[in-house]
Amino acid sequence: VRTDPTDTTIEGEAVVLSMSAANAARALAGATESDSDDTEADVVDSILIAGLPERTVVVKPGSASQLVVSLLNNGSQPATFDVHVEGWVRDGWLPEGMHHVPMQPGERNALGITFAPPHDASALAGDFPFVIVVRATQHLRRVTRLHAKLVIRPFTDFALGKLEDRQLRRSS
């Protein structure tokens, strides 16, 4: 018995046909409810959908680590997703620079962004927040911004001066 004409009851199984762009990005990235963190809020567009399965990239200077960005063209036309990093990450630590990913409507893709700080004093140890930004020239007013952080592990290094052979003589 229905008392309110706007009340809809579904018996049996149901499939969710639509969801918010933020929830779609979380689902695309394989995130669960327990994956929430204390970073700033993401901005996820309903056409340029992107998600991050992991929010933290850990790297030791002199080596490289990748962050995977899940992409979905939720629009009705082909688009080239332009993906780049903004924030406290030096350009030289991103060997590939900006990524351009052509995508058909409904197409999903996984993009790896490489972080490679050098093994020198410019790569200070610590946590560095950054944002993954996704745009497309086919959708000029649309943008997706995903917050994450780069953790640079500390390292120690030392160098010895020139080694010299010296013979010691015993004096009597």
Side-chain angles (χ1 to χ4, degrees), residues 18-40:
S18 65
M19 62 176 71
S20 72
N23 287 339
R26 290 174 52 74
L28 178 67
T32 63
E33 288 298 319
S34 63
D35 290 335
S36 62
D37 57 19
D38 57 359
T39 59
E40 292 185 43

Side-chain angles (χ1 to χ4, degrees), residues 108-144:
R108 295 173 187 260
N109 208 330
L111 170 67
I113 297 179
T114 302
F115 294 80
H119 185 79
D120 64 30
S122 70
L124 299 175
D127 296 0
F128 299 89
F130 65 90
V131 179
I132 300 293
V133 179
V134 181
R135 296 183 185 272
T137 54
Q138 295 83 357
H139 304 285
L140 292 176
R141 295 184 180 187
R142 297 184 173 275
V143 65
T144 289

Side-chain angles (χ1 to χ4, degrees), residues 95-111:
E96 296 118 2
M98 183 180 287
H99 296 266
H100 307 284
V101 183
M103 299 190 51
Q104 295 299 315
E107 182 179 356
R108 295 173 187 260
N109 208 330
L111 170 67

Side-chain angles (χ1 to χ4, degrees), residues 12-133:
E13 293 184 27
V15 176
V16 177
L17 297 176
S18 65
M19 62 176 71
S20 72
N23 287 339
R26 290 174 52 74
L28 178 67
T32 63
E33 288 298 319
S34 63
D35 290 335
S36 62
D37 57 19
D38 57 359
T39 59
E40 292 185 43
D42 291 342
V43 175
V44 180
D45 183 73
S46 61
I47 302 288
L48 310 175
I49 295 179
L52 298 172
E54 298 290 329
R55 294 285 174 151
T56 303
V57 181
V58 179
V59 65
K60 184 177 178 186
S63 63
S65 287
Q66 271 202 343
L67 175 73
V68 175
V69 181
S70 301
L71 302 171
L72 168 63
N73 180 356
N74 202 33
S76 59
Q77 65 180 356
T80 299
F81 282 37
D82 298 324
V83 183
H84 71 276
V85 175
E86 290 181 357
W88 296 104
V89 178
R90 294 185 181 189
D91 289 339
W93 298 358
L94 300 163
E96 296 118 2
M98 183 180 287
H99 296 266
H100 307 284
V101 183
M103 299 190 51
Q104 295 299 315
E107 182 179 356
R108 295 173 187 260
N109 208 330
L111 170 67
I113 297 179
T114 302
F115 294 80
H119 185 79
D120 64 30
S122 70
L124 299 175
D127 296 0
F128 299 89
F130 65 90
V131 179
I132 300 293
V133 179

